[in-house]
Amino acid sequence: MLSTHDGTVPGSGWLGGDAGVSAGPAAPRLFCFAHAGGGASAYRPWRLSLAPDVDVRPVVLPGRESRIRELPYRRVEQIIDPLCEALEPYLDRPYAVFGHSLGSILAYEVARRFTGLAGREPGLLIVSGRRAARLPARRRPYSTLSDDEFLGAVGALGGTPPELLEEGQLLRLILPTLRADFELNETYRTLPGPRLRCPVAAYMGTADPEVDRAGLLAWGEETAGEFTMRVFAGGHFYLKDDADGVRSALRQDLARVMRSEFTR
């Protein structure tokens, strides 16, 4: 039986990780939000390769992985309060927030929620594979399509293994969460809140059908801080296509920004 959103999941239930992987006591944290349907497993390679210099903490939303029996959220305004409440105990050291595709808007709203709060403000926001939060969508909604059309559209983005799309029983299990994630993304409008003050870095793939350079550059208008943009080889899921380049960029961006955080 699926559980409802009753707020009973402790903060640790929102954060994934790997046993035996630890970061140094001075390592900055990097909270990571995945694409639609994704979870902690999307960032396992980062958690392994960036330790012990960076404490990578993937966020696990309801409806997937260890939270598969929970109902997924369909609106950003419903998820942001319990999400931020769960993350707050982990903001005890300098941190950055990363989000890819759908994850970008969640990372953005989390960063805004903690902006201006002493000792809670992020040192860096990294957004990836999505147009700026305030820009209207360029494509028709996927969440309202029939199952066959929906799965075809999602498969074309390249992030879902073909064998998964062909596995009927498993597909039926994840389809409601996948649809809910797309609905959450497609119905999103920016929430009331302050303009960011932290630096923002925006990433994209050269052949991403979901975002162009103009749409990515518009993220710079969301902050009073520094803005940088990086373009990697690959499509919407360039994170896998150019994994080494992405990890190198992450280290550079985190080192530059977090160095100033530790010396404040």
Side-chain angles (χ1 to χ4, degrees), residues 2 39 54 73 84 96 141 150 162 170 177 188 198 217 222 232 238 245 250 254:
L2 294 175
V54 181
Y73 284 91
C84 290
F150 175 72
L170 183 56
T177 292
Y188 167 70
C198 67
L217 281 169
E222 299 295 340
F232 301 86
Y238 71 90
L250 283 170
L254 288 168

Side-chain angles (χ1 to χ4, degrees), residues 61 72-77 79 102 105-106 130 143 179-189:
L61 304 181
Y73 284 91
R74 297 179 179 274
R75 295 292 185 274
V76 172
E77 56 268 28
I79 194 174
L102 162 70
I105 59 175
L106 297 177
R130 194 188 190 281
S143 60
R179 275 194 179 278
D181 282 0
F182 271 86
E183 183 178 337
L184 186 148
N185 185 44
E186 291 164 355
T187 60
Y188 167 70
R189 300 294 183 273

